[in-house]
């Protein structure tokens, strides 16, 4: 289901509020502003026979609004979904609607520019290590055990937690690095090897932390995985797709990143806005 259809349903809903429910013009205009903003950036699609409305990008877009405004806009979206279900008989699964509590121990994502700066100075092995973790969202244990036979032309097959297998697309830059790395280092069985054995997670972690330390940054492999998810969502990726790429069992695990992104944007807003000086 396209966003054009979403907007059409939205228009029908506004007419329903005005003509059937008898809402005032001012109230309907308030709903219209919220729904237009939501429709412009959100993802409306069908999955397993169920209509899904993913408002993750919308949550990022309104993070600078006041708490009161955010509550009103989310209320408008919930009312719209209720209308679709009750009046149009169209069940909809709403994603990123709820408030998400983030564990205090969750690592902060790394700024995109810092990753780019470190990559610019890294050697070939370091570049591939960082790019595999950040470009694919891998766990360090998954990268340590990655065999050459699991790397196809455009896909890489990952053995995740609980022996669950997922396939991830290889972006052109990763494919290029893999080709150059293969020609220079000529690994035999595993992508990262030392002697005849795969480099273990501790060895790869040491190489990574050493690389970022040159830039004055303390970075862990798990932070790159968090950065992969956060940056994808910040740039408008669907939370369902990010969840699948990460190998999460449920999207609830992935939804912490929507909160992380919102908190970060609010912090930047409070730093940047002239009126926030005394806040």
């Amino acid at each position: 289901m396209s966003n054009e259809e979403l907007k059409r349903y939205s228009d029908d809903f506004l007419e329903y509020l005005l003509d059937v429910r008898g809402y005032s013009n001012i109230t309907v205009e308030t709903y219209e502003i919220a729904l237009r903003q939501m429709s412009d950036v959100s993802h409306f699609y069908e999955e397993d026979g169920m209509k899904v409305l993913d408002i993750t990008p919308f949550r990022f877009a309104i993070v600078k609004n006041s708490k009161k405004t955010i509550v009103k806009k989310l209320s408008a979206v919930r009312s719209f979904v209720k209308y679709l279900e009750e009046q149009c008989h169209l069940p909809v699964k709403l994603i990123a609607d709820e408030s998400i509590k983030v564990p205090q121990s969750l690592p902060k994502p790394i700024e995109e520019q810092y990753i780019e700066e470190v990559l610019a100075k890294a050697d070939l092995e370091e570049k591939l290590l960082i790019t595999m973790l950040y470009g694919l969202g891998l766990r360090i244990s998954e990268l340590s055990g990655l065999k050459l036979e699991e790397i196809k032309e455009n896909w890489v097959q990952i053995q995740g937690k609980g022996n669950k297998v997922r396939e991830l697309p290889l972006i052109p830059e990763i494919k290029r690095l893999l080709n150059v790395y293969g020609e220079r280092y000529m690994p035999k069985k595993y992508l990262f090897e030392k002697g005849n054995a795969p480099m273990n997670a501790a060895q790869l972690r040491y190489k990574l932390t050493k690389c970022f330390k040159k830039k004055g940054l303390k970075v862990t492999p798990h932070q790159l995985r968090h950065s992969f998810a956060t940056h994808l969502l910040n740039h408008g990726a669907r939370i369902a797709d990010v969840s699948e790429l990460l190998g999460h069992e449920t999207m609830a695990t992935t939804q912490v990143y929507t909160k992380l992104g919102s908190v970060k944007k609010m912090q930047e807003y409070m730093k940047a806005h002239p009126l926030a000086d005394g806040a």
Side-chain angles (χ1 to χ4, degrees):
M1 189 170 289
S2 69
N3 277 40
E4 287 302 316
E5 289 175 286
L6 180 62
K7 289 177 181 178
R8 178 168 56 79
Y9 278 118
S10 176
D11 289 340
D12 292 342
F13 171 60
L14 295 171
E15 287 184 16
Y16 167 79
L17 292 180
L18 199 61
D19 300 336
V20 179
R21 297 296 301 275
Y23 281 29
S24 68
N25 288 332
I26 293 176
T27 302
V28 173
E29 284 174 10
T30 302
Y31 272 73
E32 182 177 14
I33 291 169
L35 294 178
R36 292 289 181 216
Q37 190 177 7
M38 181 274 293
S39 300
D40 284 343
V41 297
S42 298
H43 306 294
F44 195 41
Y45 58 98
E46 185 169 325
E47 187 173 76
D48 298 328
M50 179 78 172
K51 300 295 186 296
V52 180
L53 176 57
D54 179 0
I55 61 170
T56 304
F58 176 60
R59 291 295 297 266
F60 283 134
I62 65 174
V63 71
K64 293 181 182 180
N65 295 165
S66 69
K67 184 177 180 180
K68 186 177 179 181
T69 301
I70 292 173
V71 168
K72 284 184 176 180
K73 288 183 176 180
L74 290 177
S75 177
V77 173
R78 292 187 193 107
S79 296
F80 172 55
V81 170
K82 187 177 180 182
Y83 161 81
L84 291 177
E85 293 177 337
E86 295 183 354
Q87 301 300 321
C88 304
H89 307 291
L90 188 69
V92 175
K93 181 179 179 181
L94 186 58
I95 295 176
D97 164 51
E98 68 278 2
S99 175
I100 301 158
K101 188 174 181 180
V102 182
Q104 292 298 314
S105 59
L106 198 62
K108 293 179 180 178
I110 307 152
E111 297 283 355
E112 293 176 47
Q113 69 177 73
Y114 294 153
I115 296 175
E116 291 171 1
E117 288 171 6
V118 170
L119 281 172
K121 299 287 184 180
D123 63 29
L124 177 58
E125 186 178 54
E126 292 168 339
K127 277 184 181 177
L128 183 60
L129 173 59
I130 295 169
T131 306
M132 292 296 286
L133 291 171
Y134 174 60
L136 296 174
L138 301 183
R139 300 177 178 93
I140 193 70
S141 57
E142 293 171 343
L143 184 57
S144 171
L146 184 60
K147 298 176 181 177
L148 296 176
E149 65 185 29
E150 294 167 332
I151 302 173
K152 316 299 180 183
E153 185 178 351
N154 295 308
W155 297 83
V156 58
Q157 194 175 69
I158 301 299
Q159 298 280 344
K161 284 186 176 180
N163 291 322
K164 290 186 177 179
V165 178
R166 67 187 189 277
E167 290 191 336
L168 304 176
L170 293 174
I171 59 177
E173 175 61 11
I174 296 180
K175 289 173 65 176
R176 185 190 69 80
L177 283 172
L178 284 169
N179 290 334
V180 176
Y181 179 85
E183 291 173 2
R184 183 179 301 182
Y185 287 89
M186 292 185 291
K188 299 177 181 64
K189 184 176 180 180
Y190 295 91
L191 181 60
F192 290 100
E193 292 179 335
K194 188 170 185 180
N196 294 321
M199 286 191 196
N200 60 39
Q203 291 169 323
L204 292 178
R205 186 180 293 107
Y206 174 76
K207 286 180 177 290
L208 179 78
T209 53
K210 184 180 176 183
C211 185
F212 276 90
K213 193 174 181 181
K214 295 175 188 174
K215 188 69 182 174
L217 298 169
K218 188 176 180 180
V219 171
T220 67
H222 209 51
Q223 269 183 287
L224 283 179
R225 179 171 158 85
H226 280 283
S227 302
F228 163 83
T230 304
H231 296 168
L232 277 178
L233 289 169
N234 282 347
H235 288 289
R238 300 190 319 177
I239 194 169
D241 294 335
V242 175
S243 184
E244 187 176 339
L245 291 170
L246 289 169
H248 285 164
E249 288 190 12
T250 66
M251 281 188 290
T253 310
T254 316
Q255 284 177 335
V256 295
Y257 300 110
T258 65
K259 181 68 174 180
L260 278 177
S262 297
V263 169
K264 175 63 180 171
K265 288 189 177 184
M266 179 56 77
Q267 289 171 343
E268 293 303 314
Y269 166 62
M270 294 301 290
K271 286 180 190 174
H273 200 288
L275 296 180
D277 254 355

